[in-house]
């Protein structure tokens, strides 16, 4: 006959909170080290590979050699990948907490669709042809759709289900509009075809400078929402008892996700699955605490995005496979696996 151990013994054998924090902190440092290695690989690997010596020389003692020029070009691409990856990871974590759906991503609330619709409108009706022009249209399109989803989802009475339903309906309508315009306008089709797959290859210092303030504001706002989102995960009644302001938290969460995902989509195009996969995987070893999910997602999402970008440069040399295609190819099977595992766990 098995006898359950007394509470004192169970408490003695359970890992102490300080020990868990130490393990998580160490894991975060290791994740940051992996990110540094992937960033170096992003600078060194391409159509022409560079040695570590050339990368170091190009970063710190540039004298205008061929290797230095390549490093300068790839550095902007890598920086944008770091920023966009962190933004997508954070926005995915916020939306999964907001909707209480661990398989939610920024596309669920129509943010990607809003950016795409704004860009195709800019190309077709305003004659915009430059990436710097796309950035502002895409960002404001994402922001407008975020506000519309919040309004249709009930505004102050918004619930996770209403927000998800509103976002899904708006996404369907906007993607229908995008497809219709692209079919009728061949010029728009040619320009949009490159932008919609998602790419880091057009990164410039100017693009980074334009979206950097939005990344900074969105990141700070998302991190500040960690505690209120933790409270909301226990249900509305419990969150109210703990002093959380539900409407304010939902509104600020929508704002943070819109700013982050809107800026990333504006700069790189709609890149799928990064905001879904990384926070979901991170939650499996950090637990539901958003104070740990967000930092891990902000570090590991750029690892995935930059890693996919490096793979895209290598597999079809001397050509290049866009990062959005690589993440979709990887993300599809992973998403199916996550859904099946979640269904199995519920049985």
């Amino acid at each position: 006959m098995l006898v359950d151990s007394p509470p004192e013994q169970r408490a003695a054998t359970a890992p102490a909170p300080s020990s868990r924090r130490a393990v998580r902190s160490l894991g975060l440092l290791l994740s940051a080290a992996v990110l540094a290695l992937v960033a170096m690989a992003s600078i060194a690997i391409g159509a022409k590979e560079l040695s570590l010596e050339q990368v170091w020389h190009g970063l710190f003692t540039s004298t205008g050699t061929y290797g230095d020029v390549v490093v300068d070009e790839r550095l902007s691409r890598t920086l944008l990948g770091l920023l966009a990856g962190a933004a997508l990871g954070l926005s995915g974590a916020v939306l999964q907490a907001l909707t209480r759906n661990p398989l939610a991503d920024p596309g669920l609330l129509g943010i990607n669709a809003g950016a795409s619709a704004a860009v195709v409108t800019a190309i077709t009706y305003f004659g915009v042809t430059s990436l710097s022009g796309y950035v502002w249209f895409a960002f404001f399109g994402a922001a407008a759709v975020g506000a519309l989803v919040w309004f249709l989802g009930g505004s102050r009475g918004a619930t996770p289900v209403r927000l998800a339903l509103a976002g899904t309906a708006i996404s369907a309508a906007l993607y229908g509009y995008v497809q219709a315009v692209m079919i009728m306008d061949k010029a728009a089709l040619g320009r949009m075809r490159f932008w919609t797959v998602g790419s880091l290859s057009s990164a410039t210092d100017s693009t980074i400078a334009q979206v950097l303030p939005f990344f900074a504001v969105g990141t700070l706002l998302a991190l500040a929402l960690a505690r209120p989102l933790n409270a909301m995960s226990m249900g509305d009644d419990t969150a109210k008892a703990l002093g959380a302001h539900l409407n304010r938290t939902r509104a600020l969460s929508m704002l943070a996700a819109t700013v982050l995902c809107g800026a990333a989509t504006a700069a790189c195009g709609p890149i799928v699955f990064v905001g879904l996969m990384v926070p979901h995987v991170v939650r499996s070893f950090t637990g539901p605490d958003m104070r740990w999910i967000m930092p891990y997602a902000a570090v590991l999402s750029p690892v995935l995005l930059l890693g996919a970008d490096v793979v895209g440069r290598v597999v079809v040399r001397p050509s290049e496979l866009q990062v959005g295609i690589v993440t979709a190819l990887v993300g599809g099977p992973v998403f199916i696996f996550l859904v099946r595992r979640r269904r199995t766990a519920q049985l």
Side-chain angles (χ1 to χ4, degrees):
M1 179 177 178
L2 297 176
V3 180
D4 193 15
S5 58
E8 294 81 1
Q9 183 177 344
R10 291 199 301 270
T13 57
S18 59
S19 175
R20 290 197 297 269
R21 284 196 297 269
V23 171
R24 289 170 177 171
S25 299
L26 179 59
L28 193 58
L29 289 175
L30 292 175
S31 300
V34 172
L35 177 58
L37 292 175
V38 173
M40 291 294 288
S42 177
I43 297 174
I45 299 173
K48 176 178 175 57
E49 292 193 16
L50 302 177
S51 65
L52 291 179
E53 181 181 357
Q54 287 176 305
V55 172
W56 184 267
H57 189 275
L59 289 174
F60 300 105
T61 58
S62 179
T63 56
T65 64
Y66 176 79
D68 296 342
V69 172
V70 173
V71 168
D72 289 340
E73 292 177 353
R74 293 181 187 170
L75 182 60
S76 296
R77 183 171 183 158
T78 302
L79 289 175
L80 182 59
L82 290 170
L83 293 172
L88 291 171
L90 282 173
S91 63
V94 169
L95 290 177
Q96 287 176 11
L98 176 65
T99 60
R100 297 173 193 163
N101 180 0
L103 296 178
D105 75 332
L108 180 67
L109 298 186
I111 297 172
N112 288 345
S116 298
V119 170
V120 77
T121 300
I123 292 172
T124 304
Y125 299 110
F126 296 97
V128 178
T129 58
S130 66
L131 181 63
S132 60
Y134 296 167
V135 166
W136 293 107
F137 276 91
F139 179 76
F140 286 119
V145 169
L148 182 60
V149 168
W150 174 249
F151 175 76
L152 293 179
S155 186
R156 290 183 177 275
T159 64
V161 174
R162 287 181 180 178
L163 291 173
L165 289 175
T168 301
I170 292 173
S171 292
L174 289 178
Y175 278 128
Y177 163 76
V178 169
Q179 294 300 320
V181 172
M182 290 172 64
I183 290 173
M184 293 186 295
D185 188 338
K186 292 183 179 180
L189 174 61
R191 294 173 190 150
M192 280 289 293
R193 185 169 51 190
F194 179 79
W195 186 83
T196 53
V197 297
S199 173
L200 299 176
S201 60
S202 298
T204 63
D205 293 340
S206 175
T207 302
I208 295 173
Q210 290 180 64
V211 296
L212 183 59
F214 298 106
F215 285 135
V217 171
T219 298
L220 293 175
L221 181 57
L223 294 175
L225 290 169
R227 287 182 182 275
L229 287 173
N230 277 344
M232 288 180 61
S233 68
M234 293 182 282
D236 290 357
D237 293 338
T238 303
K240 288 180 181 179
L242 293 174
H245 299 277
L246 301 184
N247 292 328
R248 184 175 67 188
T249 300
R250 288 186 178 123
L252 291 177
S253 297
M254 280 288 298
L255 178 61
T258 300
V259 170
L260 288 167
C261 184
T265 304
C268 310
I271 297 175
V272 297
F273 287 117
V274 175
L276 183 154
M277 285 190 295
V278 176
H280 186 83
V281 172
V282 163
R283 190 178 291 104
S284 67
F285 58 83
T286 64
D289 192 343
M290 294 295 292
R291 293 173 298 176
W292 288 103
I293 292 174
M294 285 188 182
Y296 268 99
V299 172
L300 292 178
S301 294
V303 171
L304 173 60
L305 187 60
L306 288 176
D309 190 44
V310 171
V311 170
R313 298 182 217 172
V314 173
V315 293
V316 291
R317 281 179 175 169
S319 299
E320 181 176 313
L321 197 62
Q322 305 304 323
V323 66
I325 298 175
V326 179
T327 58
L329 290 174
V330 173
V334 172
F335 180 72
I336 293 172
F337 169 76
L338 293 176
V339 171
R340 287 182 60 84
R341 189 180 70 171
R342 179 173 171 79
R343 182 181 178 184
T344 302
Q346 291 175 343
L347 294 178

